[in-house]
Amino acid sequence: MSEFSDGMVDDGVDEVIDRCLHLDAPQSFFMYAGAGSGKTRSLVEALGKLRRRERDRLVYRGQRIAVITYTNAARDEILRRIEFDPLIDVSTIHSFAWRLIQGFDDEIRAWLKASIAESMAELQDKMQRARGINKTFLKNRADFERKEKRLNALDDMVSFHYSPSGTELKRGSLTHQEVIGMAGAFLRMAPLRDVLVDLYPVVLIDESQDTHADVMEALLAVQAHAGDRFVIGLLGDTMQRIYMQGIEKLEAVVPQDWARPAKVMNHRSRERIVRLVNTIRAEVDDQRQRARQDKPGGDARLFITGYGAAKSLELEEEVAHRMAEVTGDAEWGLGSQHRKTLVLEHRMASRRLGFDEVFGPLYETETLKTSLLDGVLGPINFLVDDVLPIVEAGLSGDDFALVDCIRTRSPLFDGKALAQRADQLAAIRAAGEGARRLTELMRDHDPVLKEVIAGLRDSAFLEVPQALLLALNAGDPDDEARADGDRVAQELYAWRRVMTAPFSQVRAMALYARGLSPFDTHQGVKGLEFPRVLVVISDNEANGFTFSYDKVLGVKAVDRDAEKEAGGGDSQRAQTRRLLYVTCSRAEESLAIVIYADDPAAVRAEAIRKKWFTDDEIVLL
């Protein structure tokens, strides 16, 4: 009976959303959906009712329902749940933005000219104020020259292109940020504003608190312009805003006449964990969640140490064994695969999982880092998405899977290319022979990447990215030859270092990127859940500037942060508090937090003062 009652608590929220989506009298809404509240279920149910009720009208008018998701994984999950109904257009914000602006080539060219000219003026000003020809000056000059070359070539561009995966780089390609910026600018004006309303009378945005501000502000402006025939539905939780591109204080920007349904149930976590995340949140707002009556108990523990990161793996394993004793759950102590370990940033994971020789050089190179973290760095996607599946299929002995991998990835199987060749059978055999050599190279040893790339270059059955070919031809990295002020030289140096890494590290990184690893980042698990969660906090090892757990935990002064928050602004402390909320709320059954701190006693005292943990839930290691 209790389970049935818990399931009905938030039924009123779904009813409000359904009323908002009646197209005869539409109303935009902002739904608060905290951790584990069943946000995706509500979204899918709303889509089900909407498409059944409005299908004929939408099909007659040539309209669709747009759903914007934050990740490809979320997109795929929603598509699966709606059975791939073509009436629903589900896409990430970048893909959605590109579909809106694609083909507006003259407008794109004009926007780029203004944007690049503005950026060049800023660089020119920096160079004029520079004190001599130093490293920063050389970098700015290289960037200026690159932008100037691009600006001069714009008039010769017949059309522009964009690849959401980042793998399709060709003349006229646009960056992710450019696509977002243009969509935000164009949506504020006719004709794109009216095109959007005519094509998509309903736009539902998942994880709205993290959706790019440029696009979100433009969509709000469109709704204000055509609210009688255009509905926006925002779903999310402002406490889970952990990426800075979203609108700050979104709840204050949303118009007052919008509906604001709020879900209060947490169907994911046991009562102790729900109580902890409610206490963390209490410093920010008055939103509270209820645990299910059939999920009492649960365990949360705080482990604090002053040790450095050198012994981190041993220490974290010790914590896991202690959690097995505390909880009576033996799986805690059966190895990292039986729990989810959340580290503060990807570099910490790469060191723990053994793929730092591939990840590290790229992460340390400023011009490659963003694309790497966004998952759109073409050469890495080539290794992970093209080379690795062929290797795994070949080593598995599954000939059918191997042929399918080759057919979908090798340019030798391209229909147009084959049609133009007299020796089609020879091309197909060449692809098969190239795959065989690649598999044999992997069968008996773990080759370094330069061996793999050299073999791919010689067999030509895959199209190797230019960056990898240049690094291969340049040979081993030479620290003395590295030109610090030159972007091209820095990137080449990074790829040359990557080429010396064993191929097995590509597989380790792929497992991590796909979420199959026992490790992930604090930011990367938003929307996911796990029975056992180990949160690792180490500001010194993360070496970042966006977050500071020391401020949240009372180790560092927060005068400036408190001043910012009092004035209604965001702060490093507030951002970190939200991140802690996200990580703790991933746990279903039990949670352990390990903190590496300069002053363990101060952290312990603050955790007790905030009432996050009781004295007997804290262990000083």
Side-chain angles (χ1 to χ4, degrees):
M1 181 65 181
S2 63
E3 183 176 352
F4 179 73
S5 300
D6 286 340
M8 295 180 64
V9 168
D10 289 328
D11 281 358
V13 172
D14 295 336
E15 292 170 5
V16 170
I17 294 174
D18 187 47
R19 287 198 299 271
C20 290
L21 296 179
H22 277 261
L23 299 187
D24 289 327
Q27 182 182 15
S28 293
F29 65 88
F30 179 25
M31 182 185 83
Y32 158 71
S37 62
K39 170 169 58 70
T40 303
R41 181 185 63 80
S42 289
L43 173 60
V44 170
E45 285 191 8
L47 289 171
K49 294 175 182 177
L50 176 59
R51 57 187 173 147
R52 286 192 294 271
R53 182 175 62 246
E54 305 287 357
R55 181 179 294 276
D56 290 344
R57 181 204 306 237
L58 293 170
V59 170
Y60 177 76
R61 295 179 176 178
Q63 296 177 319
R64 301 174 73 194
I65 302 160
V67 178
I68 299 174
T69 65
Y70 196 77
T71 65
N72 289 325
R75 175 203 61 197
D76 294 343
E77 175 63 16
I78 293 171
L79 282 171
R80 184 186 64 80
R81 293 203 201 183
I82 64 171
E83 300 175 317
F84 301 92
D85 188 340
L87 188 67
I88 315 295
D89 182 356
V90 187
S91 58
T92 62
I93 186 64
H94 291 91
S95 296
F96 183 75
W98 173 239
R99 281 203 303 278
L100 289 177
I101 68 172
Q102 187 176 11
F104 287 88
D105 293 312
D106 290 339
E107 289 81 0
I108 289 173
R109 184 179 294 103
W111 188 93
L112 285 173
K113 284 183 177 180
S115 176
I116 295 173
E118 181 181 354
S119 179
M120 288 173 62
E122 292 174 359
L123 289 169
Q124 184 73 50
D125 180 61
K126 290 178 180 178
M127 287 188 289
Q128 289 174 349
R129 291 187 287 107
R131 298 180 178 179
I133 302 178
N134 52 24
K135 178 180 177 180
T136 302
F137 176 89
L138 292 171
K139 178 182 180 301
N140 287 336
R141 186 173 67 182
D143 287 344
F144 182 91
E145 292 171 351
R146 177 174 51 84
K147 290 178 184 295
E148 184 177 42
K149 182 178 179 181
R150 188 184 184 202
L151 180 63
N152 293 334
L154 284 177
D155 286 331
D156 295 329
M157 299 290 180
V158 177
S159 61
F160 294 90
H161 313 278
Y162 172 69
S163 170
S165 68
T167 56
E168 185 186 345
L169 296 178
K170 54 186 178 181
R171 182 176 168 83
S173 290
L174 302 172
T175 69
H176 307 293
Q177 195 55 45
E178 285 170 347
V179 168
I180 292 295
M182 278 183 265
F186 296 173
L187 276 172
R188 296 174 184 271
M189 305 176 292
L192 191 58
R193 177 181 62 190
D194 301 308
V195 169
L196 172 66
V197 173
D198 290 340
L199 287 178
Y200 300 104
V202 177
V203 176
L204 303 177
I205 306 176
D206 192 17
E207 300 290 359
S208 55
Q209 72 279 352
D210 280 324
T211 302
H212 289 264
D214 285 346
V215 176
M216 180 65 77
E217 289 168 354
L219 289 172
L220 292 174
V222 173
Q223 193 278 333
H225 167 74
D228 59 335
R229 56 193 179 97
F230 179 69
V231 179
I232 295 179
L234 305 182
L235 301 90
D237 176 10
T238 53
M239 191 64 184
Q240 297 188 62
R241 186 176 76 89
I242 56 177
Y243 297 103
M244 296 305 102
Q245 72 265 15
I247 292 181
E248 189 177 317
K249 306 289 184 184
L250 177 60
E251 66 276 17
V253 176
V254 170
Q256 290 301 311
D257 61 347
W258 285 27
R260 294 179 182 240
K263 306 190 77 168
V264 298
M265 286 300 302
N266 184 317
H267 299 281
R268 171 188 299 153
S269 305
R270 291 201 172 272
E271 187 276 334
R272 176 64 188 97
I273 296 164
V274 174
R275 183 155 40 93
L276 172 61
V277 296
N278 278 341
T279 307
I280 293 172
R281 183 168 196 143
E283 300 176 27
V284 179
D285 59 32
D286 58 0
Q287 295 283 6
R288 299 291 176 273
Q289 289 188 301
R290 284 172 45 183
R292 294 179 63 91
Q293 296 178 55
D294 58 356
K295 288 194 173 183
D299 294 282
R301 293 291 187 275
L302 176 63
F303 298 85
I304 314 170
T305 181
Y307 292 164
K311 296 182 179 179
S312 57
L313 285 177
E314 297 173 21
L315 190 71
E316 289 151 26
E317 196 62 39
E318 178 188 342
V319 166
H321 283 281
R322 292 201 184 195
M323 286 299 293
E325 296 173 5
V326 167
T327 62
D329 181 356
E331 289 203 49
W332 265 104
L334 295 181
S336 60
Q337 295 290 342
H338 293 263
R339 58 184 182 267
K340 193 68 171 182
T341 300
L342 306 182
V343 292
L344 188 51
E345 54 102 56
H346 296 291
R347 191 69 187 271
M348 294 169 66
S350 74
R351 289 167 177 155
R352 285 164 167 79
L353 290 171
F355 59 85
D356 201 49
E357 290 175 76
V358 173
F359 185 87
L362 305 174
Y363 185 82
E364 293 167 5
T365 305
E366 199 62 35
T367 55
L368 298 174
K369 179 178 178 180
T370 300
S371 296
L372 174 70
L373 297 182
D374 287 347
V376 293
L377 190 57
I380 289 298
N381 290 347
F382 167 75
L383 293 170
V384 170
D385 298 333
D386 293 344
V387 179
L388 183 60
I390 291 174
V391 169
E392 292 180 336
L395 293 177
S396 72
D398 187 337
D399 291 338
F400 179 81
L402 179 60
V403 169
D404 187 59
C405 283
I406 300 170
R407 180 182 59 79
T408 55
R409 291 168 173 82
S410 174
L412 296 178
F413 278 80
D414 179 74
K416 292 182 180 178
L418 278 176
Q420 296 173 359
R421 297 186 63 147
D423 55 344
Q424 294 182 8
L425 185 59
I428 293 172
R429 286 174 174 168
E433 178 62 19
R436 186 193 66 77
R437 290 180 185 175
L438 177 63
T439 302
E440 289 304 315
L441 179 64
M442 304 286 178
R443 194 175 299 282
D444 298 322
H445 77 299
D446 185 11
V448 295
L449 273 171
K450 63 182 177 181
E451 292 181 71
V452 176
I453 299 304
L456 292 174
R457 176 199 59 192
D458 296 340
S459 65
F461 88 99
L462 288 178
E463 188 172 349
V464 181
Q466 190 67 19
L468 297 179
L469 291 177
L470 289 174
L472 177 67
N473 295 332
D476 292 335
D478 181 356
D479 288 341
E480 293 183 3
R482 180 185 181 190
D484 287 333
D486 185 272
R487 171 180 175 168
V488 174
Q490 285 187 342
E491 292 183 0
L492 179 60
Y493 176 76
W495 287 116
R496 289 166 73 185
R497 289 174 61 195
V498 169
M499 297 292 274
T500 65
F503 186 80
S504 59
Q505 293 199 14
V506 172
R507 185 175 189 279
M509 187 166 70
L511 291 174
Y512 174 72
R514 294 170 186 164
L516 302 177
S517 158
F519 285 80
D520 211 321
T521 62
H522 293 195
Q523 301 94 323
V525 292
K526 192 165 60 133
L528 304 179
E529 56 190 36
F530 312 94
R532 294 160 291 279
V533 173
L534 174 63
V535 179
V536 178
I537 295 174
S538 176
D539 282 351
N540 287 340
E541 188 180 358
N543 195 30
F545 301 99
T546 306
F547 304 104
S548 173
Y549 278 100
D550 282 345
K551 289 184 177 180
V552 173
L553 298 166
V555 178
K556 281 188 177 180
V558 294
D559 295 342
R560 281 189 172 184
D561 295 69
E563 186 178 335
K564 277 186 179 180
E565 293 166 28
D570 208 1
S571 70
Q572 193 179 47
R573 179 177 66 169
Q575 294 166 21
T576 310
R577 187 193 294 118
R578 294 196 297 267
L579 193 61
L580 181 63
Y581 175 89
V582 168
T583 57
C584 293
S585 60
R586 300 308 97 196
E588 298 172 286
E589 301 290 330
S590 51
L591 168 73
I593 301 177
V594 180
I595 296 177
Y596 297 88
D598 291 333
D599 190 345
V603 172
R604 175 182 174 278
E606 185 70 359
I608 293 174
R609 187 190 71 80
K610 290 177 178 286
K611 298 183 179 179
W612 290 355
F613 296 91
T614 59
D615 184 56
D616 61 347
E617 291 178 323
I618 300 175
V619 179
L620 292 178
L621 296 174

